[in-house]
Amino acid sequence: MLRDTNIGIDSIAFSTSRYFLPLSVLAEHRSVDYRKYCDGIGQIAMSVFPPNEDIVTIAVDAAQKAISFIDNLDAIDLVIFATESSFDLSKAAAIYVHNFLKLKPSCTAFDIKQACYSLTAAIKMARCFVQSNPGSKVLVIGSDIVKYSPNSSGEPTQGGAAVAAVISENPRIIAFEPYSGVHTTDIADFWRPSAAKEAMFDGRLSAHNYLESLKFALDEYLQKSKLALADLDYVCFHSPFNKMATKAARQFFPEKDVLDASIYNAKIGNSCSASLYISLISLLDNCSENLGGKRIGLYSYGSGSVAEYFSGIVCDKYREMSLALKNQELLDSRIEISFDEYEQFCANVIPASDTKCSYQNVGQVFLSEMIDGYRMYQLKEQINKSSVDNCFNMLNIA
Ligand code: HMG
């Protein structure tokens, strides 16, 4: 059990693709009743990524926003990058982020993995680190792009996003409480062999195990904390698709409304490691009640599987740390793509004829070149003719 009482999220931000496909378009092309997607699954759109965006580019974008609240970047001693969408089995994606943020060389950077649970694991590790290194800050990032086979039942639940958070003492957004309930079980509900671009899954088994694990983890959390369900003011869930979170809420927390906590996920789709924390940001941004002093219950689930139930108390000044307007703007300004463009993005090709799918609609950095499989990134502000040519040549042969 962690003993910290005043360690938590000091700042938090997310980023996602600048492109989306409405699920009404997918439904039409897959000859599925759209109501299945919007009512049955609870999703209205999914973020779709152009070939020059990946887990690093969206992570840098989110992290730059999260650290903009931090006065002394030298206090960041550790960067933990949580992902299951890694493109490199050796080098950590965390190192690219460390470089773009210009963090000090004496700051450690590495990646971790356990499906969608991994950002919670990173936060758990960060809390221990801050506890044993008073004054230190840890930058944690969860960044994932979720791809299923075209025409599979998972297709309407694709998506992707990055969340970056600074974990520190005296946090300004949410202070974690010291107890949690964990449930780990070996199960083949979702996996991605290292050579595969798309995940394999057993949808029914995964949904069943998500709920079973919640039961065990929540029971343990309640036992350890000596709290009752009524002591939780709001609840947020890992949200592979919104209906999963709604089902969990109905079964275990019938009194709780999860609408505000699901607004962003419904538009982004599954963002794996980032998903629970997108739900938390959605609640903080959209709930009209002042959440200062409220207890938020958080359910993290990663297939395979590891689940954890834990909680935190929202800090009084959380609204001063809000990026709500920027978050709304990011989602509202996304470009709607056609089904043809979606298929080209899935094949990792920038549609040659379509200028709106250009390199420009990316965050702070974009993937500009690949040499012997090594990824080179460039700041958007440094774009020149040759980098654009490189980018297009590389992407169209990827
Ligand atoms: P499916 O088999 O195509 O859908 O895939 P279904 O037949 O189960 O229907 C879904 C719902 O739509 C049902 O509602 C239907 O009744 C309803 P429910 O019975 O569940 O309440 N429906 C309709 N509603 C209105 N009008 C209609 C209509 N037709 C049907 N016309 C499934 C669904 C979730 C299985 C699929 O999307 C899938 O396999 N997704 C991928 C796996 C997944 O997301 N699992 C979730 C738990 S595991 C997890 O969270 C971890 C994960 O994030 C990965 C990680 O950890 O890394 C995935």
Side-chain angles (χ1 to χ4, degrees), residues 321-336:
M321 306 295 286
S322 173
L323 290 168
L325 289 177
K326 279 194 172 149
N327 293 336
Q328 202 53 58
E329 197 184 301
L330 172 64
L331 293 176
D332 290 349
S333 64
R334 288 184 309 171
I335 294 168
E336 179 179 332

Side-chain angles (χ1 to χ4, degrees), residues 60-338:
V60 172
D61 205 41
Q64 274 177 337
K65 288 187 262 186
I67 64 164
S68 66
F69 292 96
I70 308 300
D71 293 336
N72 176 18
L73 289 188
D74 283 351
I76 299 178
D77 288 311
L78 178 60
V79 179
I80 312 177
F81 195 117
T83 186
E84 61 177 292
S85 321
S86 190
F87 45 76
D88 193 314
L89 295 179
S90 178
K91 179 168 175 166
I95 300 173
Y96 293 105
V97 179
H98 173 278
N99 175 43
F100 277 111
L101 300 187
K102 300 189 170 54
L103 298 179
K104 62 184 182 183
S106 59
C107 165
T108 310
F110 59 84
D111 291 1
I112 58 164
K113 173 190 76 176
Q114 180 10 61
C116 302
Y117 173 74
S118 59
L119 182 51
T120 302
I123 289 175
K124 210 166 171 176
M125 199 181 277
R127 288 166 63 184
C128 293
F129 185 91
V130 172
Q131 200 167 273
S132 49
N133 296 278
S136 234
K137 296 183 194 298
V138 180
L139 174 65
V140 293
I141 298 157
S143 183
D144 275 304
I145 295 175
V146 182
K147 288 185 180 170
Y148 294 108
S149 309
N151 256 318
S152 68
S153 66
E155 190 180 29
T157 67
Q158 294 177 124
V163 163
V166 175
I167 308 298
S168 74
E169 295 168 305
N170 307 315
R172 288 172 283 179
I173 293 186
I174 189 165
F176 292 119
E177 297 190 284
Y179 18 75
S180 77
V182 173
H183 187 68
T184 298
T185 184
D186 185 359
I187 187 169
D189 63 335
F190 178 104
W191 64 102
R192 183 168 69 87
S194 45
K197 290 216 163 80
E198 289 147 0
M200 323 277 285
F201 59 97
D202 179 337
R204 297 279 151 93
L205 179 66
S206 70
H208 174 77
N209 197 54
Y210 175 107
L211 294 173
E212 274 295 293
S213 299
L214 172 54
K215 181 158 88 60
F216 285 110
L218 180 61
D219 274 358
E220 194 189 8
Y221 165 82
L222 293 174
Q223 260 178 38
K224 281 187 181 168
S225 66
K226 305 204 171 16
L227 292 168
L229 285 181
D231 294 318
L232 296 167
D233 296 301
Y234 289 87
V235 285
C236 293
F237 297 88
H238 164 57
S239 189
F241 52 94
N242 263 340
K243 189 69 174 290
M244 191 75 248
T246 317
K247 271 191 186 169
R250 272 195 208 133
Q251 189 171 332
F252 295 95
F253 311 90
E255 307 294 310
K256 310 278 181 239
D257 179 2
V258 287
L259 206 64
D260 291 330
S262 54
I263 293 172
Y264 294 164
N265 299 75
K267 297 176 179 174
I268 291 172
N270 193 358
S271 55
C272 280
S273 57
S275 161
L276 166 63
Y277 300 91
I278 298 257
S279 171
L280 174 63
I281 297 172
S282 183
L283 174 67
L284 298 173
D285 283 3
N286 294 297
C287 182
S288 54
E289 187 185 6
N290 181 352
L291 295 175
K294 301 285 182 199
R295 175 176 285 114
I296 314 284
L298 298 147
Y299 178 53
S300 183
Y301 176 81
S303 283
S305 66
V306 179
E308 182 157 356
Y309 205 88
F310 58 111
S311 58
I313 305 290
V314 179
C315 307
D316 288 338
K317 293 188 173 168
Y318 78 100
R319 280 189 166 141
E320 290 173 22
M321 306 295 286
S322 173
L323 290 168
L325 289 177
K326 279 194 172 149
N327 293 336
Q328 202 53 58
E329 197 184 301
L330 172 64
L331 293 176
D332 290 349
S333 64
R334 288 184 309 171
I335 294 168
E336 179 179 332
I337 57 172
S338 68

